[in-house]
Every structure is written in structure tokens, then in C-alpha cells.
């Protein structure tokens, strides 16, 4: 008999699986525990409030100092950076389960820039000689993103993608490259499960982190092939096929989650990074919360509906809207825009705005925040600054 679930129950299971329910917030949580629970935290260079991974950690109750220092101080390492869901922090225990991706890249190449074999040899030698090196140690790079021109930059990224070198910490937001043979435990380096076993493990891990999800949701979590993901889910006793009222696509539920009692939703409004794993997949965000928010950082300012870094606001098991703010080096908070889900939500978004301000070091009082929010809501893109 097929299990049928109401959308409200699915939202509850999804929020709980992500560690955003009231029970999760009542417990002391470390940044490492959050990463272990999620299995993957996307990282990004945008830093207009805080780095995205820090926002993910703070939203789930990690301590401020713990979140701020998480990528900088790991000895011995607890995570590695890899192409999981885009560029991501991944628990070190998952290293063996990305061996199939490293092998595939080594055999078939990637879609990135051409890699210079001479630069690879030079980077390999420099990293081995130095023991640890940043891109500055390797000669630096000009430009941004895929337009960076340094052959040594892309040689380092290629060696990281294929597993010869690793990044298990950062220094001033720069990756620190180290030989995998020196940085990782031998037990991990020697463990190379076959592709079938890894796809099974990662599919189960993705569903566990989502509670209830479609095959495409699950495949997107670690950027797996949908067909392989479906095969893995079908073979797993922990993955139960379910039907969700109003969803066109069949879904899957993590069996232990179905047996858990109803969880209490967190009432305190939480601003989320747009790269947060609760909302990073737009089709899932539409199905869970009936909102469709596009990251607008790469759109011309005049065409943005909200702002450069629109942060969805989670409150009482729903998305109440989103806020787009910036905090500059003088600790001034600027509201670029606000989108509100219902006319009753200004106080909810005001609370989230104050939280974002505190996280970013711009401590504004509640009355001023509410007043600026109201003006920002009405004018959308006219900027108002508040000096902390």
C-alpha cells in the first residue's frame, strides 16, 4: 500500500531533516555536527552579510565563533572541499564515496578551462616541497571565477578535482592546497568503493538530509545522475516510495523519519542563505513552500525583484518572504529590497532583518529596523542605510 503524505507533513519532515526545527535549536550544536548532519554545505565567495556557509551554520544554532572560524583551523582535518553540490564543504568521512567522481574526471576530463600539463607538474612539485600552498604561493591569479587567467590556478583545481591534492582548510578565504597523501588518513586513501556502492550511499545520505524528496531533488543534492539515483533508491530498504498530495512526481521518504513523532517548528524567524540546502533547488522550494526565488546576484540591478543577495526567511514552517541586505566595512546595514509573502509579515521580516544585522556585525535596534524595513518594503530598490 502506497504511503500518502500531506504537504504540511512533508514540510515538517524536510525542515526537521535539515536541523531547522525547534528541537534542533534547543540543543547545543557545533559547526561540525551541522556539516555531518547535512553531508554537504555549499560555499560561495559572496560576502555581503557573512559567507554563505557561515549563514548555514548560524541558522542551525552553531556558535558565532565556531561558524566564523570553521574553515580555517582544522588539524586534524574534519572536512574536505569538493564538487559535491557545486563547490562544497564535505565531511571527511565521505571522501571514499567521491572516488568514482575523481576517477571519472581523471579518465574523461572536465568542462572547465584547458589544463596545462607543465603547470600541473609545477603545482604538484611546489605543493609537495612546501607541504601546503595557497594560490598566492603558486603565482597568483587574475580575474574572477572561470575567467581567472592563471594556468597554475586551474592546474591546482584539476589536481584537487582528481584527488592528488586536497583542501582541508583555508587561510584568509584562500584555499590551502596539500598533498592528499600527507593530509588524509591512510584508511581513507585506501578505501575506494565501486561506483554502485557510492551512488547507493550518497543517494541515501541525500534523502536522509531532506526527509521526503523527489528523485530529482535527491539527485541534485550531490549532483548525481537521476537515473542512477532512482536505481539506488529503489534498491534501498530505507527509502520508501510515497505520494504527496498535489505533487506530480512520485517522492521518496527516509523510512526512520516517517516513524518519528511530529516536530515543533521554530517560531523565531531565520534568514537563510540562498545557497542553504533547504532552498537551493528551486523545484523543491516551489513544492515545499510555494515560492520561487531566483538568486539575483548575476542580474542587472534594475531587473532584480528583491536584491543582490536575497535571503529567504523561514518562520513557523513556512517562507515568510525574503530580505536583501548589505553590511559594509563601517558596519552600516543597507536594505536593497524586500519581498513579503503576506500582509501580516512585516514584524516577521523585521525580526529576520535584525538577526541578519547581528550576524553581520551591524547591531541595529528593533524599532529602527522595523521602520527601515517598512520603507524598504514600500520602495523596494531605494537604498536606506542604518549606521550601527
Amino acid at each position: 500500500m502506497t504511503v500518502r503524505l500531506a504537504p504540511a507533513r512533508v514540510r515538517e519532515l524536510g525542515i526537521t531533516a535539515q536541523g531547522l526545527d525547534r528541537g534542533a535549536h534547543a540543543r547545543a550544536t557545533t559547526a561540525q555536527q551541522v556539516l555531518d548532519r547535512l553531508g554537504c554545505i555549499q560555499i560561495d565567495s559572496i560576502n555581503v552579510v557573512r559567507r554563505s556557509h557561515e549563514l548555514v551554520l548560524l541558522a542551525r544554532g552553531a556558535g558565532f565563533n565556531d561558524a566564523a572560524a570553521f574553515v580555517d583551523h582544522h588539524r586534524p582535518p574534519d572536512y574536505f572541499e569538493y564538487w559535491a553540490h557545486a563547490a562544497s564543504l564535505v565531511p571527511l568521512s565521505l571522501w571514499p564515496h567521491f572516488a568514482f567522481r575523481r576517477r571519472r574526471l581523471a579518465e574523461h576530463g572536465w568542462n572547465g578551462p584547458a589544463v596545462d600539463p607543465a603547470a600541473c607538474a609545477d603545482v604538484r612539485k611546489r605543493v609537495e616541497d612546501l607541504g601546503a600552498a595557497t594560490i598566492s604561493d603558486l603565482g597568483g591569479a587574475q580575474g574572477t571565477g572561470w575567467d581567472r587567467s592563471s594556468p597554475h590556478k586551474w592546474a591546482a583545481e584539476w589536481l584537487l578535482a582528481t584527488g592528488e591534492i586536497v583542501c582541508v582548510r583555508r587561510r584568509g578565504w584562500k584555499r590551502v592546497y596539500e598533498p592528499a597523501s600527507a593530509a588524509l588518513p591512510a584508511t581513507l586513501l585506501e578505501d575506494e568503493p565501486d561506483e554502485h556502492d557510492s551512488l547507493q550511499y550518497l543517494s541515501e545520505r541525500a534523502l536522509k538530509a531532506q526527509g521526503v524528496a523527489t528523485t530529482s531533488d535527491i539527485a541534485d543534492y550531490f549532483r548525481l545522475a537521476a537515473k542512477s539515483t532512482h536505481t539506488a533508491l529503489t534498491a534501498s530498504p530505507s527509502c520508501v516510495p510515497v505520494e504527496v498530495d498535489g505533487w506530480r512526481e512520485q517522492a521518496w521518504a527516509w523510512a526512520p523519519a516517517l516513524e518519528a513523532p511530529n516536530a515543533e517548528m521554530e517560531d523565531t524567524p531565520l534568514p537563510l542563505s540562498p545557497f542553504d540546502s533547504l532552498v537551493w533547488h528551486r523545484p523543491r522550494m516551489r513544492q515545499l513552500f510555494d515560492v520561487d526565488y531566483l538568486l539575483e546576484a548575476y542580474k542587472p540591478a534594475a531587473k532584480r525583484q528583491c536584491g543582490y543577495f536575497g535571503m529567504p526567511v523561514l518562520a513557523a514552517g513556512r517562507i515568510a518572504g525574503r530580505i536583501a541586505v548589505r553590511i559594509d566595512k563601517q558596519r552600516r546595514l543597507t536594505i536593497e529590497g524586500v519581498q513579503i509573502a503576506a500582509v501580516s509579515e512585516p514584524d516577521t521580516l523585521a525580526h529576520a532583518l535584525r538577526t541578519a544585522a547581528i550576524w553581520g556585525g551591524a547591531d541595529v535596534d528593533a524599532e529602527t529596523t522595523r521602520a527601515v524595513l517598512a520603507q524598504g518594503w514600500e520602495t523596494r530598490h531605494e537604498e536606506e542605510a542604518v549606521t550601527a
Side-chain angles (χ1 to χ4, degrees), residues 60-137:
R60 288 159 177 81
F64 188 87
N65 292 336
D66 188 16
F70 186 60
V71 301
D72 294 326
H73 71 284
H74 283 259
R75 276 291 178 268
D78 294 314
Y79 74 85
F80 67 103
E81 289 191 26
Y82 201 62
W83 295 98
H85 183 95
S88 303
L89 305 176
V90 185
L92 199 64
S93 60
L94 267 65
W95 171 266
H97 294 289
F98 284 93
F100 81 95
R101 187 164 288 171
R102 295 190 291 271
R103 290 192 297 262
R104 189 177 295 173
L105 286 169
E107 293 173 8
H108 303 292
W110 65 357
N111 293 325
V115 179
D116 180 1
C120 283
D122 190 35
V123 168
R124 186 183 293 114
K125 184 176 188 306
R126 289 201 207 184
V127 171
E128 288 176 352
D129 289 347
L130 294 171
T134 67
I135 187 60
S136 297
D137 300 320

Side-chain angles (χ1 to χ4, degrees), residues 45 113 135 140-151 153-154 157 173 175 177:
S45 60
I135 187 60
Q142 297 180 343
T144 59
W146 293 103
D147 295 326
R148 287 178 180 167
S149 58
S150 166
K153 162 67 178 175
W154 294 115
E157 294 301 314
W173 193 243
R175 281 178 171 163
Y177 300 105

Side-chain angles (χ1 to χ4, degrees), residues 2-341:
T2 303
V3 176
R4 294 193 65 88
L5 296 173
R9 175 62 171 161
V10 173
R11 281 193 298 275
E12 174 201 312
L13 290 170
I15 291 168
T16 302
Q18 284 282 302
L20 289 165
D21 59 296
R22 182 177 295 173
H25 275 251
R27 298 186 294 271
T29 303
T30 67
Q32 187 63 46
Q33 286 171 331
V34 174
L35 177 59
D36 289 340
R37 179 172 194 153
L38 299 181
C40 170
I41 296 177
Q42 185 175 345
I43 56 177
D44 194 87
S45 60
I46 293 175
N47 186 16
V48 295
V49 178
R50 295 209 68 84
R51 298 285 184 191
S52 178
H53 73 279
E54 294 177 49
L55 297 173
V56 171
L57 297 171
L58 291 168
R60 288 159 177 81
F64 188 87
N65 292 336
D66 188 16
F70 186 60
V71 301
D72 294 326
H73 71 284
H74 283 259
R75 276 291 178 268
D78 294 314
Y79 74 85
F80 67 103
E81 289 191 26
Y82 201 62
W83 295 98
H85 183 95
S88 303
L89 305 176
V90 185
L92 199 64
S93 60
L94 267 65
W95 171 266
H97 294 289
F98 284 93
F100 81 95
R101 187 164 288 171
R102 295 190 291 271
R103 290 192 297 262
R104 189 177 295 173
L105 286 169
E107 293 173 8
H108 303 292
W110 65 357
N111 293 325
V115 179
D116 180 1
C120 283
D122 190 35
V123 168
R124 186 183 293 114
K125 184 176 188 306
R126 289 201 207 184
V127 171
E128 288 176 352
D129 289 347
L130 294 171
T134 67
I135 187 60
S136 297
D137 300 320
L138 302 175
Q142 297 180 343
T144 59
W146 293 103
D147 295 326
R148 287 178 180 167
S149 58
S150 166
H152 283 71
K153 162 67 178 175
W154 294 115
E157 294 301 314
W158 169 255
L159 294 174
L160 184 144
T162 54
E164 283 194 57
I165 63 177
V166 295
C167 174
V168 293
R169 60 191 171 100
R170 287 195 172 219
R171 187 188 304 148
W173 193 243
K174 294 178 182 179
R175 281 178 171 163
V176 177
Y177 300 105
E178 302 177 57
S181 58
L184 301 182
T187 52
L188 288 181
L189 293 170
E190 294 165 1
D191 186 8
E192 288 216 5
D194 64 31
E195 184 167 345
H196 175 272
D197 290 344
S198 292
L199 290 171
Q200 183 85 42
Y201 180 87
L202 292 174
S203 297
E204 291 176 345
R205 189 71 182 260
L207 178 56
K208 182 179 180 181
Q210 296 177 92
V212 177
T214 65
T215 298
S216 59
D217 296 336
I218 298 162
D220 180 74
Y221 203 85
F222 290 115
R223 298 291 167 83
L224 307 174
K227 184 176 180 180
S228 300
T229 301
H230 180 80
T231 299
L233 295 167
T234 302
S236 173
S238 298
C239 304
V240 180
V242 299
E243 292 183 5
V244 180
D245 295 339
W247 289 20
R248 294 182 179 180
E249 191 177 343
Q250 181 222 298
W252 301 84
W254 183 246
L258 290 178
E259 300 171 3
N262 290 353
E264 290 187 59
M265 295 295 95
E266 177 59 52
D267 290 330
T268 303
L270 288 169
L272 302 176
S273 165
F275 303 111
D276 193 291
S277 46
L278 180 68
V279 294
W280 64 22
H281 191 43
R282 289 178 67 197
R284 178 168 174 79
M285 180 168 57
R286 285 194 295 267
Q287 290 187 129
L288 283 182
F289 300 109
D290 196 28
V291 296
D292 188 9
Y293 293 149
L294 173 69
L295 176 68
E296 298 177 306
Y298 308 111
K299 294 180 69 173
K303 295 185 177 181
R304 293 171 186 156
Q305 294 181 357
C306 186
Y308 178 80
F309 193 71
M311 301 177 68
V313 175
L314 179 68
R318 56 196 168 79
I319 298 295
R322 63 175 174 168
I323 54 176
V325 301
R326 290 177 185 264
I327 297 171
D328 64 21
K329 293 180 180 180
Q330 287 71 47
R331 299 176 67 223
R332 294 178 304 176
L333 179 142
T334 299
I335 297 180
E336 292 186 342
V338 174
Q339 285 179 290
I340 195 162

